[in-house]
Amino acid sequence: MKNEIDIHRALRVFNKVATLGEKQSDNIQSVYRLCGLNALTDFDGYTISLSDAQVRLDIFFHNKYKFDYPNNEALENFLARFTDVEKYSQN
């Protein structure tokens, strides 16, 4: 099954999580968390990832992407978090 997403929306969500999220770091990489989503990037910045407990979305160079999820319900819950992030304000 091919999953179609608005890649620009996903990139905006990633940016908001990375900008406003709580930073969780280890020695290798930084992970930012906001509204149940984690945002991280590889060492050169060409690949970014958004994830929650069950779903991972990897976005590659030239806006190609890959989902990894166990079932459609998990994917729907993951995508619903996009709306939560979009509505989030730092008040």
Side-chain angles (χ1 to χ4, degrees):
M1 180 175 140
K2 175 76 172 152
N3 297 297
E4 296 292 330
I5 64 163
D6 178 350
I7 197 71
H8 298 288
R9 180 181 184 212
L11 291 169
R12 285 191 305 270
V13 167
F14 175 87
N15 187 55
K16 193 163 186 179
V17 173
T19 302
L20 300 178
E22 179 184 342
K23 186 176 182 179
Q24 306 287 314
S25 296
D26 59 24
N27 292 335
I28 299 171
Q29 64 185 4
S30 295
V31 177
Y32 297 88
R33 294 192 173 105
L34 182 67
C35 299
L37 284 179
N38 302 319
L40 62 111
T41 183
D42 67 352
F43 70 95
D44 62 7
Y46 282 106
T47 302
I48 62 171
S49 298
L50 285 167
S51 64
D52 65 8
Q54 295 186 334
V55 178
R56 181 177 175 112
L57 169 62
D58 296 314
I59 302 173
F60 307 104
F61 194 61
H62 293 301
N63 295 334
K64 296 190 184 316
Y65 60 90
K66 181 185 86 166
F67 275 107
D68 184 26
Y69 59 94
N71 56 52
N72 286 336
E73 182 180 357
L75 178 61
E76 289 172 12
N77 290 334
F78 174 77
L79 294 174
R81 293 180 191 271
F82 280 29
T83 302
D84 295 341
V85 169
E86 290 168 330
K87 290 179 180 178
Y88 180 84
S89 67
Q90 201 177 21
N91 291 336

